[in-house]
Amino acid sequence: MAGRASTALVLQELGETLPTIDDGQIDCLVDELLVPGRRVLVTAVGRMLISLKAWVKRLKHLGVDINYVGAETEMPVRKHDLVLIGSSSGESRLPAEIARIAKERGADVFYVGCTPGSAIDALASERLLLRGRTKFAASGEYASKQPMSTLVEQELFLLGDIVALEIMRRRGWTEKDVKDRHANLE
């Protein structure tokens, strides 16, 4: 029985927050990911990075030239490439420094998190704001009963699947098209 209560809580919180994501910001993110010839690098720390690594896997299946900062196969960032940074607070030091370096190199920075006006948001040319609680639990944040920024990490993971479906829709791709680009040695 206790597991059902926890399941219900997680689903309730996601049901209250995911629908509040601005459709225009989702469209903007997809537009940015699909710029022809653009390399995309993602970064975050902790569970936010784990969520973004799932994006890398799926978006590669959809033909996006994407990787995560620190990957063995990471290529250099170029002018007009996209550096997507996930941080609920927008104040995580390493991602903020990567945003600064990316801007210096002429890349576009896209912030996904909860905190407009944060250090990372101030460096970003575009943003997608999630509704959740940061590790700072500031006033005005969604009052998640899950620890720290867990809800935001869940939203970020699911946002990757929302973005993938939108890319498939725009390209007219079916599951077969995705499977044709999926690993086949397993």
Side-chain angles (χ1 to χ4, degrees), residues 116-148:
S118 63
I120 297 170
D121 183 60
L123 292 165
S125 53
E126 299 291 345
R127 67 214 26 82
L128 187 149
L129 296 175
L130 300 172
R131 189 168 159 231
R133 187 172 68 133
T134 69
K135 61 188 175 191
F136 302 121
S139 65
E141 293 180 356
Y142 179 85
S144 176
K145 292 181 177 66
Q146 299 180 68
M148 299 172 63

Side-chain angles (χ1 to χ4, degrees), residues 95-175:
E97 182 62 14
I98 290 170
R100 188 188 61 72
I101 294 168
K103 273 199 81 101
E104 285 177 0
R105 299 195 186 284
D108 296 319
V109 174
F110 199 110
Y111 170 59
V112 179
C114 300
T115 315
S118 63
I120 297 170
D121 183 60
L123 292 165
S125 53
E126 299 291 345
R127 67 214 26 82
L128 187 149
L129 296 175
L130 300 172
R131 189 168 159 231
R133 187 172 68 133
T134 69
K135 61 188 175 191
F136 302 121
S139 65
E141 293 180 356
Y142 179 85
S144 176
K145 292 181 177 66
Q146 299 180 68
M148 299 172 63
S149 57
T150 298
L151 175 61
V152 178
E153 295 148 4
Q154 294 163 345
E155 289 177 282
L156 184 62
F157 183 90
L158 293 173
L159 178 61
D161 292 334
I162 293 165
V163 165
L165 285 170
E166 180 59 19
I167 290 172
M168 287 177 66
R169 185 192 68 74
R170 287 188 187 189
R171 290 186 166 165
W173 284 21
T174 65
E175 183 177 359

Side-chain angles (χ1 to χ4, degrees), residues 8-77:
L9 171 71
V10 169
L11 292 175
Q12 175 191 344
E13 289 188 354
L14 286 168
E16 291 174 357
T17 56
L18 277 176
T20 67
I21 297 173
D22 183 282
D23 286 338
Q25 291 179 348
I26 293 173
D27 287 339
C28 178
L29 174 57
V30 174
D31 290 344
E32 293 293 325
L33 290 168
L34 294 180
V35 170
R38 173 176 259 182
R39 198 174 280 156
V40 179
L41 288 164
V42 303
T43 194
V45 294
R47 289 169 42 114
M48 295 289 282
L49 180 57
I50 292 168
S51 294
L52 284 175
K53 284 183 177 182
W55 287 41
V56 170
K57 178 77 170 168
R58 182 62 72 222
L59 295 184
K60 278 188 175 288
H61 299 150
L62 297 173
V64 176
D65 184 0
I66 188 169
N67 213 333
Y68 62 93
V69 174
E72 294 80 5
T73 55
E74 176 187 352
M75 297 293 288
V77 69

